[in-house]
Amino acid sequence: MTAPTLPQGTDDTNPPAPAEQPRRVPVRDRYFDLLRAVALFRVVFYHLMGWAWLPVVFPSMGVMFALAGNLMARSLKRPPVQVIRSRMRRLLPPLWLLGAIGVSGMVLQGWGPNSDGHPGWWWFHLTYWIVPLSDPPYADGLHGVHGVLGDDWAAELAGPLWYIRAYLWFVLLSPFLLKALRSLPLVTILSPIALSAAFEFNYLHLPGERFPSALTDFSTFGACWILGMAHQQGILQRIPRYMVPSVVPAIACLGLWYALTHGFKEGHDLDDIPFAQSLWSFATVLLLLHVSPSWSEWPRWLRPFDRLITLLNSRAVTIYLWHNICILVASTWWDQLWRIDALEEHVSWLLNSSWPVLAITWLLIGSCIVWFGWMEDVAAKRKPQLWPDGSSRSRPKTRRGAHAG
């Protein structure tokens, strides 16, 4: 009987190795995507309406820092230098695009080295538009463009940049925070709140403005960032389930009580009371992470919003950087309608309303996504897209030669 012939290049004593397993793509946590989208929408809503209670209903900045901290902790499975370089690469190019347009406009309106009487410092401070270790400079009191852009537009442009500066510092400190978190979890989580209390009750005084402002941001939102890291590391999951719902109301009530007893009102909200902000944001983030259902797919009731939430997450940096200018432009356009006598006489209630301005603002934000959002793809080394709402991935791909049935 003839032995079976083996295919050429094989060995009966060494069977062929199995095919290499395809690399698994990390599954997005849709719950976190929802929180980020709600946070962005609330930021825009608040900056237009100015209602003091909005940061109480949903402390967007604390939530955004917590989500970023969670992502940073997951990335730190790789070498820290590599992770920090990657985060800076994703963060800075959208800022550079904003700076190139904004600073050029300021210079065209007369802003320059002699504006503050210290030409050397002016040039040095401009480097903060490249690496925002401190707040980038801007021109005060610039006139706008009549009917298009309101006055003092540079201040509105620079307004959101504190978040970029704080985010960058959190990224740089994350390797050290993660080591401290693994060694002393409770002390590390609570230390920013203790620092906030030290500032609030005058136990700590620092000279100057730039360094204290950065440290104040850390003391206000650092606990949220570290909570995000703790959630990713599984530290929060080790807390007994009953403890978080028991402790959170007491912390939240303390923060709210402190705000109410220290001038909390319209025009003086949580952002102006850092200690109250730190307590309230910490309590809210802790509860949201405790509830965290970790959706790999959308629940049925959220599926209609998939493309919108995906878009907001894909262009989070662009939306945050440009939304203040969009609000200013929308308000300037809307104010021009007061010049139409018939509208002023018959629908003055509509001209006084902020809701149409909100709709125009989101239309302008959509245009910024198209015009400037591609920079986020370039920064992430992805193929640039004008409108990344995830619709392309949902389209079925037909193989060549296959017949559509």
Side-chain angles (χ1 to χ4, degrees):
M1 186 174 181
T2 307
T5 304
L6 295 173
Q8 186 175 3
T10 64
D11 186 348
D12 57 344
T13 59
N14 294 309
E20 184 178 351
Q21 294 294 327
R23 186 177 180 180
R24 294 183 61 184
V25 178
V27 178
R28 291 191 67 92
D29 191 325
R30 291 302 191 178
Y31 176 69
F32 284 179
D33 285 349
L34 175 64
L35 292 181
R36 189 177 292 105
V38 173
L40 280 170
F41 184 83
R42 205 283 289 158
V43 165
V44 176
F45 197 70
Y46 167 69
H47 283 167
L48 175 61
M49 300 297 189
W51 296 338
W53 51 267
L54 279 173
V56 176
V57 172
F58 195 83
S60 289
M61 305 318 301
V63 170
M64 291 171 68
F65 280 123
L67 299 179
N70 183 282
L71 183 61
M72 188 68 187
R74 187 176 69 181
S75 299
L76 281 172
K77 296 173 183 177
R78 295 179 284 143
V81 174
Q82 179 183 344
V83 174
I84 291 173
R85 184 171 61 244
S86 174
R87 290 287 155 220
M88 291 180 67
R89 189 192 70 235
R90 288 170 175 262
L91 178 69
L92 296 182
L95 171 66
W96 296 340
L97 180 59
L98 177 79
I101 296 172
V103 173
S104 297
M106 296 178 211
V107 171
L108 288 174
Q109 285 197 291
W111 188 53
N114 294 319
S115 298
D116 59 3
H118 302 282
W121 282 111
W122 187 87
W123 287 105
F124 174 76
H125 289 163
L126 277 186
T127 60
Y128 291 133
W129 282 99
I130 302 173
V131 181
L133 294 174
S134 186
D135 294 320
Y138 60 89
D140 283 317
L142 286 181
H143 295 296
V145 179
H146 180 69
V148 178
L149 188 62
D151 291 340
D152 207 18
W153 61 269
E156 296 297 328
L157 180 82
L161 298 186
W162 73 268
Y163 173 78
I164 304 299
R165 179 248 298 157
Y167 186 102
L168 177 59
W169 274 111
F170 281 131
V171 166
L172 295 173
L173 293 173
S174 283
F176 307 101
L177 293 174
L178 187 58
K179 288 183 179 180
L181 181 64
R182 289 167 176 168
S183 301
L184 298 168
L186 186 60
V187 173
T188 305
I189 291 172
L190 296 180
S191 58
I193 297 178
L195 182 61
S196 181
F199 278 123
E200 184 69 21
F201 299 111
N202 297 318
Y203 292 116
L204 185 62
H205 300 275
L206 295 172
E209 295 181 3
R210 291 186 178 273
F211 184 67
S213 64
L215 205 56
T216 299
D217 291 337
F218 175 80
S219 66
T220 305
F221 298 108
C224 296
W225 183 281
I226 297 170
L227 277 177
M229 302 181 82
H231 179 271
Q232 198 283 329
Q233 293 290 297
I235 294 172
L236 296 186
Q237 289 80 345
R238 297 201 294 265
I239 300 175
R241 296 291 295 176
Y242 67 86
M243 186 171 290
V244 171
S246 302
V247 172
V248 160
I251 300 173
C253 287
L254 177 60
L256 188 57
W257 168 82
Y258 194 86
L260 292 173
T261 56
H262 287 75
F264 178 77
K265 60 182 179 180
E266 201 79 15
H268 187 77
D269 55 23
L270 287 178
D271 291 338
D272 301 309
I273 315 171
F275 182 58
Q277 175 76 280
S278 67
L279 292 172
W280 184 262
S281 297
F282 174 81
T284 305
V285 166
L286 182 57
L287 185 60
L288 289 172
L289 293 178
H290 173 77
V291 172
S292 180
S294 297
W295 298 324
S296 59
E297 295 182 359
W298 289 117
R300 184 181 300 274
W301 61 278
L302 278 173
R303 289 174 190 169
F305 304 99
D306 175 35
R307 291 173 62 177
L308 174 61
I309 295 173
T310 300
L311 178 66
L312 292 175
N313 277 269
S314 300
R315 291 294 181 260
V317 177
T318 298
I319 293 170
Y320 189 81
L321 287 176
W322 290 93
H323 77 276
N324 260 17
I325 283 294
C326 291
I327 291 173
L328 182 61
V329 172
S331 300
T332 304
W333 289 358
W334 190 250
D335 287 344
Q336 298 306 303
L337 297 180
W338 284 101
R339 304 174 66 179
I340 303 176
D341 294 337
L343 294 179
E344 183 179 2
E345 181 178 354
H346 298 291
V347 290
S348 59
W349 59 270
L350 180 62
L351 299 183
N352 279 314
S353 174
S354 296
W355 294 100
V357 181
L358 180 65
I360 298 171
T361 295
W362 277 105
L363 289 174
L364 292 173
I365 289 174
S367 69
C368 287
I369 289 174
V370 173
W371 287 106
F372 311 125
W374 53 268
M375 183 59 80
E376 291 194 56
D377 292 328
V378 172
K381 296 184 178 181
R382 296 189 300 256
K383 181 180 178 181
Q385 298 183 65
L386 294 181
W387 198 256
D389 61 355
S391 57
S392 58
R393 69 167 182 262
S394 62
R395 298 171 187 165
K397 295 182 180 180
T398 305
R399 292 182 301 174
R400 290 185 179 181
H403 298 283

PDB file of all heavy atoms in Angstrom, residues 8 20-22 67 73 77 88 97 125 138 146 159-160 172 227 230 234 253 276 294 296 300 304 310 312 372:
ATOM      1  N   GLN A   8       3.990  19.418  -1.148  1.00  0.00           N
ATOM      2  CA  GLN A   8       5.357  19.904  -1.149  1.00  0.00           C
ATOM      3  C   GLN A   8       5.537  21.003  -0.109  1.00  0.00           C
ATOM      4  O   GLN A   8       4.726  21.891   0.053  1.00  0.00           O
ATOM      5  CB  GLN A   8       5.698  20.479  -2.542  1.00  0.00           C
ATOM      6  CG  GLN A   8       7.164  20.870  -2.672  1.00  0.00           C
ATOM      7  CD  GLN A   8       7.482  21.304  -4.065  1.00  0.00           C
ATOM      8  OE1 GLN A   8       6.610  21.362  -4.913  1.00  0.00           O
ATOM      9  NE2 GLN A   8       8.737  21.611  -4.311  1.00  0.00           N
ATOM     10  N   GLU A  20      -1.836  33.207  11.840  1.00  0.00           N
ATOM     11  CA  GLU A  20      -1.736  34.226  12.883  1.00  0.00           C
ATOM     12  C   GLU A  20      -3.102  34.857  13.129  1.00  0.00           C
ATOM     13  O   GLU A  20      -3.833  35.194  12.209  1.00  0.00           O
ATOM     14  CB  GLU A  20      -0.741  35.299  12.447  1.00  0.00           C
ATOM     15  CG  GLU A  20      -0.494  36.349  13.509  1.00  0.00           C
ATOM     16  CD  GLU A  20       0.519  37.367  13.055  1.00  0.00           C
ATOM     17  OE1 GLU A  20       1.129  37.138  11.999  1.00  0.00           O
ATOM     18  OE2 GLU A  20       0.681  38.388  13.749  1.00  0.00           O
ATOM     19  N   GLN A  21      -3.458  34.965  14.398  1.00  0.00           N
ATOM     20  CA  GLN A  21      -4.749  35.520  14.745  1.00  0.00           C
ATOM     21  C   GLN A  21      -4.796  37.009  14.383  1.00  0.00           C
ATOM     22  O   GLN A  21      -3.830  37.733  14.592  1.00  0.00           O
ATOM     23  CB  GLN A  21      -4.993  35.364  16.256  1.00  0.00           C
ATOM     24  CG  GLN A  21      -5.132  33.915  16.702  1.00  0.00           C
ATOM     25  CD  GLN A  21      -6.375  33.265  16.118  1.00  0.00           C
ATOM     26  OE1 GLN A  21      -7.388  33.926  15.930  1.00  0.00           O
ATOM     27  NE2 GLN A  21      -6.287  31.985  15.802  1.00  0.00           N
ATOM     28  N   PRO A  22      -5.906  37.454  13.825  1.00  0.00           N
ATOM     29  CA  PRO A  22      -6.011  38.877  13.499  1.00  0.00           C
ATOM     30  C   PRO A  22      -5.953  39.717  14.761  1.00  0.00           C
ATOM     31  O   PRO A  22      -6.430  39.328  15.814  1.00  0.00           O
ATOM     32  CB  PRO A  22      -7.378  38.994  12.816  1.00  0.00           C
ATOM     33  CG  PRO A  22      -8.152  37.806  13.296  1.00  0.00           C
ATOM     34  CD  PRO A  22      -7.132  36.721  13.491  1.00  0.00           C
ATOM     35  N   LEU A  67     -12.829  61.080  31.723  1.00  0.00           N
ATOM     36  CA  LEU A  67     -12.770  60.215  30.544  1.00  0.00           C
ATOM     37  C   LEU A  67     -11.368  60.223  29.938  1.00  0.00           C
ATOM     38  O   LEU A  67     -10.863  59.178  29.502  1.00  0.00           O
ATOM     39  CB  LEU A  67     -13.804  60.677  29.513  1.00  0.00           C
ATOM     40  CG  LEU A  67     -15.267  60.645  29.963  1.00  0.00           C
ATOM     41  CD1 LEU A  67     -16.178  61.141  28.854  1.00  0.00           C
ATOM     42  CD2 LEU A  67     -15.672  59.242  30.391  1.00  0.00           C
ATOM     43  N   ALA A  73      -4.749  56.140  31.231  1.00  0.00           N
ATOM     44  CA  ALA A  73      -4.301  54.983  32.012  1.00  0.00           C
ATOM     45  C   ALA A  73      -4.266  53.728  31.158  1.00  0.00           C
ATOM     46  O   ALA A  73      -3.352  52.900  31.286  1.00  0.00           O
ATOM     47  CB  ALA A  73      -5.220  54.784  33.212  1.00  0.00           C
ATOM     48  N   LYS A  77      -0.085  51.306  29.260  1.00  0.00           N
ATOM     49  CA  LYS A  77       0.451  49.955  29.173  1.00  0.00           C
ATOM     50  C   LYS A  77       1.673  49.939  28.255  1.00  0.00           C
ATOM     51  O   LYS A  77       2.474  49.017  28.285  1.00  0.00           O
ATOM     52  CB  LYS A  77      -0.623  48.997  28.649  1.00  0.00           C
ATOM     53  CG  LYS A  77      -1.817  48.861  29.599  1.00  0.00           C
ATOM     54  CD  LYS A  77      -2.927  48.032  28.976  1.00  0.00           C
ATOM     55  CE  LYS A  77      -4.135  47.953  29.903  1.00  0.00           C
ATOM     56  NZ  LYS A  77      -5.267  47.210  29.296  1.00  0.00           N
ATOM     57  N   MET A  88       0.327  64.233  22.835  1.00  0.00           N
ATOM     58  CA  MET A  88       0.648  65.595  22.416  1.00  0.00           C
ATOM     59  C   MET A  88       0.455  65.746  20.912  1.00  0.00           C
ATOM     60  O   MET A  88      -0.005  66.796  20.441  1.00  0.00           O
ATOM     61  CB  MET A  88       2.084  65.932  22.814  1.00  0.00           C
ATOM     62  CG  MET A  88       2.288  66.066  24.315  1.00  0.00           C
ATOM     63  SD  MET A  88       3.991  66.472  24.774  1.00  0.00           S
ATOM     64  CE  MET A  88       4.142  68.127  24.093  1.00  0.00           C
ATOM     65  N   LEU A  97      -3.680  75.064  14.400  1.00  0.00           N
ATOM     66  CA  LEU A  97      -4.534  75.602  13.350  1.00  0.00           C
ATOM     67  C   LEU A  97      -5.353  76.776  13.876  1.00  0.00           C
ATOM     68  O   LEU A  97      -5.460  77.816  13.203  1.00  0.00           O
ATOM     69  CB  LEU A  97      -5.457  74.498  12.827  1.00  0.00           C
ATOM     70  CG  LEU A  97      -6.428  74.890  11.714  1.00  0.00           C
ATOM     71  CD1 LEU A  97      -5.671  75.417  10.497  1.00  0.00           C
ATOM     72  CD2 LEU A  97      -7.300  73.696  11.321  1.00  0.00           C
ATOM     73  N   HIS A 125       6.176  84.551  24.962  1.00  0.00           N
ATOM     74  CA  HIS A 125       4.844  84.053  25.316  1.00  0.00           C
ATOM     75  C   HIS A 125       4.108  83.462  24.122  1.00  0.00           C
ATOM     76  O   HIS A 125       3.219  82.613  24.295  1.00  0.00           O
ATOM     77  CB  HIS A 125       4.021  85.189  25.929  1.00  0.00           C
ATOM     78  CG  HIS A 125       4.488  85.578  27.304  1.00  0.00           C
ATOM     79  ND1 HIS A 125       4.135  86.768  27.905  1.00  0.00           N
ATOM     80  CD2 HIS A 125       5.289  84.943  28.191  1.00  0.00           C
ATOM     81  CE1 HIS A 125       4.690  86.840  29.111  1.00  0.00           C
ATOM     82  NE2 HIS A 125       5.403  85.746  29.295  1.00  0.00           N
ATOM     83  N   TYR A 138      -3.143  86.765  24.164  1.00  0.00           N
ATOM     84  CA  TYR A 138      -4.082  87.235  23.147  1.00  0.00           C
ATOM     85  C   TYR A 138      -4.257  88.731  23.305  1.00  0.00           C
ATOM     86  O   TYR A 138      -3.871  89.319  24.325  1.00  0.00           O
ATOM     87  CB  TYR A 138      -5.434  86.516  23.260  1.00  0.00           C
ATOM     88  CG  TYR A 138      -6.122  86.716  24.584  1.00  0.00           C
ATOM     89  CD1 TYR A 138      -6.984  87.787  24.804  1.00  0.00           C
ATOM     90  CD2 TYR A 138      -5.900  85.832  25.635  1.00  0.00           C
ATOM     91  CE1 TYR A 138      -7.610  87.980  26.017  1.00  0.00           C
ATOM     92  CE2 TYR A 138      -6.519  86.013  26.862  1.00  0.00           C
ATOM     93  CZ  TYR A 138      -7.378  87.083  27.043  1.00  0.00           C
ATOM     94  OH  TYR A 138      -7.996  87.270  28.258  1.00  0.00           O
ATOM     95  N   HIS A 146     -17.841  94.387  11.677  1.00  0.00           N
ATOM     96  CA  HIS A 146     -19.227  94.853  11.800  1.00  0.00           C
ATOM     97  C   HIS A 146     -20.201  93.878  11.140  1.00  0.00           C
ATOM     98  O   HIS A 146     -20.048  93.513   9.974  1.00  0.00           O
ATOM     99  CB  HIS A 146     -19.382  96.236  11.178  1.00  0.00           C
ATOM    100  CG  HIS A 146     -20.778  96.772  11.274  1.00  0.00           C
ATOM    101  ND1 HIS A 146     -21.350  97.152  12.470  1.00  0.00           N
ATOM    102  CD2 HIS A 146     -21.733  96.959  10.323  1.00  0.00           C
ATOM    103  CE1 HIS A 146     -22.585  97.577  12.271  1.00  0.00           C
ATOM    104  NE2 HIS A 146     -22.841  97.469  10.968  1.00  0.00           N
ATOM    105  N   GLY A 159     -10.631  81.881  25.299  1.00  0.00           N
ATOM    106  CA  GLY A 159     -11.325  81.425  26.495  1.00  0.00           C
ATOM    107  C   GLY A 159     -11.207  79.942  26.796  1.00  0.00           C
ATOM    108  O   GLY A 159     -10.910  79.548  27.937  1.00  0.00           O
ATOM    109  N   PRO A 160     -11.419  79.044  25.814  1.00  0.00           N
ATOM    110  CA  PRO A 160     -11.383  77.611  26.106  1.00  0.00           C
ATOM    111  C   PRO A 160      -9.974  77.032  26.268  1.00  0.00           C
ATOM    112  O   PRO A 160      -9.848  75.848  26.599  1.00  0.00           O
ATOM    113  CB  PRO A 160     -12.067  76.987  24.870  1.00  0.00           C
ATOM    114  CG  PRO A 160     -12.738  78.102  24.160  1.00  0.00           C
ATOM    115  CD  PRO A 160     -11.923  79.315  24.465  1.00  0.00           C
ATOM    116  N   LEU A 172       1.281  64.993  31.048  1.00  0.00           N
ATOM    117  CA  LEU A 172       2.683  64.925  31.460  1.00  0.00           C
ATOM    118  C   LEU A 172       2.835  64.298  32.841  1.00  0.00           C
ATOM    119  O   LEU A 172       3.831  63.601  33.116  1.00  0.00           O
ATOM    120  CB  LEU A 172       3.301  66.326  31.453  1.00  0.00           C
ATOM    121  CG  LEU A 172       3.406  67.016  30.076  1.00  0.00           C
ATOM    122  CD1 LEU A 172       3.880  68.450  30.243  1.00  0.00           C
ATOM    123  CD2 LEU A 172       4.346  66.241  29.154  1.00  0.00           C
ATOM    124  N   LEU A 227      -9.702  59.670  39.170  1.00  0.00           N
ATOM    125  CA  LEU A 227     -10.819  58.725  39.245  1.00  0.00           C
ATOM    126  C   LEU A 227     -10.958  57.955  37.934  1.00  0.00           C
ATOM    127  O   LEU A 227     -11.235  56.749  37.935  1.00  0.00           O
ATOM    128  CB  LEU A 227     -12.121  59.467  39.543  1.00  0.00           C
ATOM    129  CG  LEU A 227     -12.431  59.816  41.000  1.00  0.00           C
ATOM    130  CD1 LEU A 227     -13.733  60.606  41.086  1.00  0.00           C
ATOM    131  CD2 LEU A 227     -12.516  58.557  41.855  1.00  0.00           C
ATOM    132  N   ALA A 230      -8.326  55.415  37.992  1.00  0.00           N
ATOM    133  CA  ALA A 230      -8.655  54.367  38.966  1.00  0.00           C
ATOM    134  C   ALA A 230      -9.718  53.425  38.420  1.00  0.00           C
ATOM    135  O   ALA A 230      -9.680  52.213  38.668  1.00  0.00           O
ATOM    136  CB  ALA A 230      -9.132  55.006  40.267  1.00  0.00           C
ATOM    137  N   GLY A 234      -9.253  49.267  37.640  1.00  0.00           N
ATOM    138  CA  GLY A 234     -10.070  48.347  38.430  1.00  0.00           C
ATOM    139  C   GLY A 234     -10.099  48.662  39.911  1.00  0.00           C
ATOM    140  O   GLY A 234     -10.648  47.881  40.703  1.00  0.00           O
ATOM    141  N   CYS A 253     -23.467  67.191  48.635  1.00  0.00           N
ATOM    142  CA  CYS A 253     -24.171  68.187  49.451  1.00  0.00           C
ATOM    143  C   CYS A 253     -23.193  69.174  50.084  1.00  0.00           C
ATOM    144  O   CYS A 253     -23.486  70.373  50.196  1.00  0.00           O
ATOM    145  CB  CYS A 253     -24.998  67.493  50.532  1.00  0.00           C
ATOM    146  SG  CYS A 253     -26.479  66.676  49.889  1.00  0.00           S
ATOM    147  N   ALA A 276     -15.763  74.294  45.822  1.00  0.00           N
ATOM    148  CA  ALA A 276     -17.088  73.702  45.612  1.00  0.00           C
ATOM    149  C   ALA A 276     -17.121  72.905  44.309  1.00  0.00           C
ATOM    150  O   ALA A 276     -17.705  71.815  44.245  1.00  0.00           O
ATOM    151  CB  ALA A 276     -18.146  74.798  45.586  1.00  0.00           C
ATOM    152  N   SER A 294     -20.649  50.126  30.773  1.00  0.00           N
ATOM    153  CA  SER A 294     -19.675  49.648  29.777  1.00  0.00           C
ATOM    154  C   SER A 294     -20.366  49.007  28.579  1.00  0.00           C
ATOM    155  O   SER A 294     -20.280  47.809  28.337  1.00  0.00           O
ATOM    156  CB  SER A 294     -18.698  48.653  30.426  1.00  0.00           C
ATOM    157  OG  SER A 294     -17.944  49.272  31.428  1.00  0.00           O
ATOM    158  N   SER A 296     -20.749  47.946  24.915  1.00  0.00           N
ATOM    159  CA  SER A 296     -20.013  47.722  23.672  1.00  0.00           C
ATOM    160  C   SER A 296     -20.898  48.031  22.468  1.00  0.00           C
ATOM    161  O   SER A 296     -20.410  48.274  21.367  1.00  0.00           O
ATOM    162  CB  SER A 296     -19.500  46.279  23.595  1.00  0.00           C
ATOM    163  OG  SER A 296     -20.579  45.366  23.663  1.00  0.00           O
ATOM    164  N   ARG A 300     -31.094  50.064  22.734  1.00  0.00           N
ATOM    165  CA  ARG A 300     -32.035  50.326  21.648  1.00  0.00           C
ATOM    166  C   ARG A 300     -32.464  51.798  21.602  1.00  0.00           C
ATOM    167  O   ARG A 300     -32.552  52.392  20.531  1.00  0.00           O
ATOM    168  CB  ARG A 300     -33.268  49.432  21.815  1.00  0.00           C
ATOM    169  CG  ARG A 300     -34.291  49.542  20.679  1.00  0.00           C
ATOM    170  CD  ARG A 300     -35.480  48.643  20.943  1.00  0.00           C
ATOM    171  NE  ARG A 300     -35.043  47.260  21.040  1.00  0.00           N
ATOM    172  CZ  ARG A 300     -34.896  46.441  19.997  1.00  0.00           C
ATOM    173  NH1 ARG A 300     -35.141  46.903  18.769  1.00  0.00           N
ATOM    174  NH2 ARG A 300     -34.508  45.201  20.162  1.00  0.00           N
ATOM    175  N   PRO A 304     -30.766  55.585  17.566  1.00  0.00           N
ATOM    176  CA  PRO A 304     -30.987  56.676  16.597  1.00  0.00           C
ATOM    177  C   PRO A 304     -29.980  57.814  16.711  1.00  0.00           C
ATOM    178  O   PRO A 304     -29.833  58.606  15.774  1.00  0.00           O
ATOM    179  CB  PRO A 304     -32.406  57.162  16.948  1.00  0.00           C
ATOM    180  CG  PRO A 304     -33.060  56.012  17.625  1.00  0.00           C
ATOM    181  CD  PRO A 304     -31.965  55.328  18.387  1.00  0.00           C
ATOM    182  N   THR A 310     -21.251  59.743  17.598  1.00  0.00           N
ATOM    183  CA  THR A 310     -19.973  59.404  16.977  1.00  0.00           C
ATOM    184  C   THR A 310     -19.282  60.642  16.434  1.00  0.00           C
ATOM    185  O   THR A 310     -18.068  60.830  16.598  1.00  0.00           O
ATOM    186  CB  THR A 310     -20.183  58.381  15.849  1.00  0.00           C
ATOM    187  OG1 THR A 310     -20.763  57.178  16.386  1.00  0.00           O
ATOM    188  CG2 THR A 310     -18.859  58.024  15.172  1.00  0.00           C
ATOM    189  N   LEU A 312     -19.701  63.808  17.443  1.00  0.00           N
ATOM    190  CA  LEU A 312     -19.248  64.648  18.547  1.00  0.00           C
ATOM    191  C   LEU A 312     -17.963  64.104  19.159  1.00  0.00           C
ATOM    192  O   LEU A 312     -17.061  64.876  19.533  1.00  0.00           O
ATOM    193  CB  LEU A 312     -20.333  64.751  19.608  1.00  0.00           C
ATOM    194  CG  LEU A 312     -21.602  65.520  19.206  1.00  0.00           C
ATOM    195  CD1 LEU A 312     -22.639  65.435  20.314  1.00  0.00           C
ATOM    196  CD2 LEU A 312     -21.289  66.968  18.896  1.00  0.00           C
ATOM    197  N   PHE A 372     -12.207  72.646   9.658  1.00  0.00           N
ATOM    198  CA  PHE A 372     -11.024  72.501  10.507  1.00  0.00           C
ATOM    199  C   PHE A 372     -10.875  71.123  11.155  1.00  0.00           C
ATOM    200  O   PHE A 372      -9.798  70.795  11.640  1.00  0.00           O
ATOM    201  CB  PHE A 372     -11.054  73.558  11.627  1.00  0.00           C
ATOM    202  CG  PHE A 372     -11.318  74.946  11.157  1.00  0.00           C
ATOM    203  CD1 PHE A 372     -12.367  75.695  11.686  1.00  0.00           C
ATOM    204  CD2 PHE A 372     -10.520  75.535  10.190  1.00  0.00           C
ATOM    205  CE1 PHE A 372     -12.619  76.985  11.256  1.00  0.00           C
ATOM    206  CE2 PHE A 372     -10.757  76.826   9.742  1.00  0.00           C
ATOM    207  CZ  PHE A 372     -11.816  77.558  10.280  1.00  0.00           C
TER     208      PHE A 372
END
